[in-house]
Amino acid sequence: MICDYRLKVFHTVAVRGSFTAAAKELGITQPAVSNHISELEGAIGDILFFRSRRETVLTPKGRTLFDYAEKILNLYRCADRELMPPRREDRRQLVIAAAPEAAGFILKPLIEYFTRIYPRTEISVLERSREEAAALLGDNEAGIAVTDAPIEGMDSTVFATLSIGGASRPMGTWYLSRNSETEDRQTVDEFLLCCRTFK
């Protein structure tokens, strides 16, 4: 894969929340992770993480770099898929349970973008109420839910807002929820990364 490995290490530490978890995921030692982060911090001239025994948290400069890292790594991935010889992959599926408004106005262009990069992924969008989407997510029948309010007990974040030009308040806010125990975690992660870098 075309990639700045230090950036990948940094991104993995930020997502997983610890140097130990990042080392395990990347298949390298914890001192190697520390060295990569130290090199980045030396180049920037400031620290990227607040470290304690219990947690590793991004500093303000770390948050700025994280936003760029997500975009850069996704662009690397897209270039990789465009330039490298095609790899044989099994077909994958992703099920998204979504409020009808979100399915119609927000998800359609994101799905088209994602399937252009990952053509062997079949995405199904099920239009459901928040309660129905929560049930599908809880039963692992959907990998992602997009609803008009956070789903209790799930990892939920603001996914999108819609507003009219000049309006002081958004017309609607949709929340994305995911089940951390889902079997299609890699596909979910790839979809979310594409969503964050979509323009």
Side-chain angles (χ1 to χ4, degrees), residues 33-102:
V33 170
S34 297
N35 287 340
H36 286 299
I37 300 301
S38 294
E39 287 175 9
L40 273 177
E41 291 176 332
I44 292 168
D46 206 344
I47 62 170
L48 297 169
F49 295 100
F50 295 119
R51 302 166 176 88
S52 72
R53 288 185 178 180
R54 287 184 292 182
E55 59 183 357
T56 300
V57 180
L58 288 165
T59 64
K61 282 196 176 178
R63 286 194 294 272
T64 299
L65 180 60
F66 181 79
D67 290 341
Y68 281 108
E70 287 208 304
K71 295 174 183 176
I72 292 166
L73 291 172
N74 193 50
L75 288 173
Y76 276 141
R77 187 173 295 169
C78 294
D80 216 30
R81 298 186 71 86
E82 292 277 346
L83 299 171
M84 300 298 180
R87 291 171 295 180
R88 193 172 178 184
E89 297 176 323
D90 292 330
R91 293 195 70 83
R92 300 182 301 174
Q93 291 187 331
L94 176 61
V95 177
I96 302 174
E101 299 87 352

